[in-house]
Amino acid sequence: MDASDRLHPWIRSWSTIHRPRPVTLNTWEAVYFDQSLERLAPLVDRAAQVGVERFVLDDGWFLGCTDDKRALGDWIVDPERWPDGLGPLIERVESAGMEFGLWVEPEMISGNSDLARRHPDWLLTDASSPTRRWQHVIDLANPDVSAHLFERLDALLSEYPIRYLKWDHNRDVLVEGTGAQVRALYALIDRVRAAHPHVEIEACAAGGGRIDLGMLRRVERVWASDTNDPLDRQRIQRWTGILVPPEYLGSHLGDAQAHFTGRVSTLGFRLATALFGHAGIESDLTRLSDDEIGVIRSWVSQHRAHRDLLHGGRVVRGDSDDAAVLVHGVVADDRSQALYSYAVIDPAEAALPAPCRLPGLDPQRRYAVRAVDLSSPVKSVQDAPPAWLAEGVEMPGLLLAELGLPMPLLMPGNAVVLSVTEARS
């Protein structure tokens, strides 16, 4: 906690985040490259139904892009899938009360693209060099390249009311002396931001790449990993969050079967994991039942109700007697309230579950603790949970921190979220 106690307030002192973080839906794992107004309009409606505030169109909108083997660099709206441009989709999004965001990957270029055929000399490395996702890095330090990319981004942001760019970077640079490339990137982002100060930017970078202080000065969000598997995310967000304040950390509710790992997780565990951070959704909501939609709507409401705390409080991490248990939370600066997660990520090491110790509270004050109802059952391997979970409990902060609370013996891949508020005398 000591590192975060020093880093988070410092980062917040110069952060460009100046408004509540919008609950985001990103279309990638919902539709991949299957893009059209007809395909996405029902998803827009479902997103609005659950309370989403920002709708982001991911990879696949630009000229000739039908898969990941082509078209990077051709940053023109594809006329076949979007014959009337992006305007009708954006109008649908905005009329539903959401803002619109767009995925871009300006630093990359596909060998199979009009841009690469016109300017093969713009590749940072030889065309025969190894690729990832069939793409090369474009030479941003070339003034002609930077000027071209700014022109294309400026044209998009001027033509459409885009409020957000998801700025991706899906491969390593793999050359010596990358300083010129990074400085040119910073200059390009700075130029885009100066021309369009209302546009926020996410540093995606293949999930987890390029999360550094230089980028945090220029973006409002980072993407810690391309895996939405909550078992992965519990660890990833824990360690990334040592440096990065939670309001930056994109954390999405994905499908029951994770696209990256193939593991299946409960809805409750996915909700509890995605609650802490800049919350979002990466799932085709049109395929979910009305009951599941209701649960997600309730979760979005919970996140929005706790958003000021989650994105402005002090991040704390608890020690556990069991390595299978991760405890973390966010405590208000005045220590009047807090939100904690007690997550089990591996089989328990003992028959008796580890207590949940809650750090960061005022040891002299009394607190009311209750489980947050995420409208999704938590699975355990005991006949009955501790009695206090049903109606909550009041205890001094000292006891909550030193002794903790008895917890149910949760199955791996389950979590309990606890709300703590100062008790009224």
Side-chain angles (χ1 to χ4, degrees), residues 22 89 93 151 155 195 217 219 232 259 289-290 306 352 362 422:
L89 176 65
V93 169
E151 184 275 327
R217 290 183 179 274
V219 301
D232 291 336
H259 292 215
S289 68
D290 289 342
H306 291 99
L352 292 177
D362 186 334
E422 186 175 357

Side-chain angles (χ1 to χ4, degrees), residues 166-281:
K166 180 183 176 185
W167 191 300
D168 215 337
H169 183 282
N170 274 309
R171 60 154 291 171
D172 295 325
V173 177
L174 298 181
V175 297
E176 294 184 4
T178 58
Q181 182 81 358
V182 174
R183 287 189 292 272
L185 165 67
Y186 289 171
L188 177 59
I189 293 176
D190 291 345
R191 189 178 178 191
V192 169
R193 293 188 67 100
H196 302 276
H198 63 285
V199 176
E200 293 190 358
I201 296 176
E202 172 186 329
C204 182
R210 204 169 54 195
I211 297 178
D212 58 68
L213 294 172
M215 286 302 289
L216 288 184
R217 290 183 179 274
R218 293 169 169 84
V219 301
E220 286 77 25
R221 197 177 202 248
V222 296
W223 187 236
S225 175
D226 277 345
T227 174
N228 279 319
D229 185 328
L231 280 174
D232 291 336
R233 277 291 183 147
Q234 283 284 339
R235 297 182 177 94
I236 290 167
Q237 291 169 193
R238 185 179 183 87
W239 295 110
T240 308
I242 291 176
L243 168 67
V244 182
E247 59 267 29
Y248 281 93
L249 280 173
S251 181
H252 287 184
L253 168 68
D255 287 341
Q257 183 170 28
H259 292 215
F260 248 60
T261 66
R263 282 190 296 233
V264 175
S265 57
T266 67
L267 179 56
F269 190 50
R270 285 176 280 138
L271 294 172
T273 301
L275 182 69
F276 291 83
H278 182 171
I281 298 169

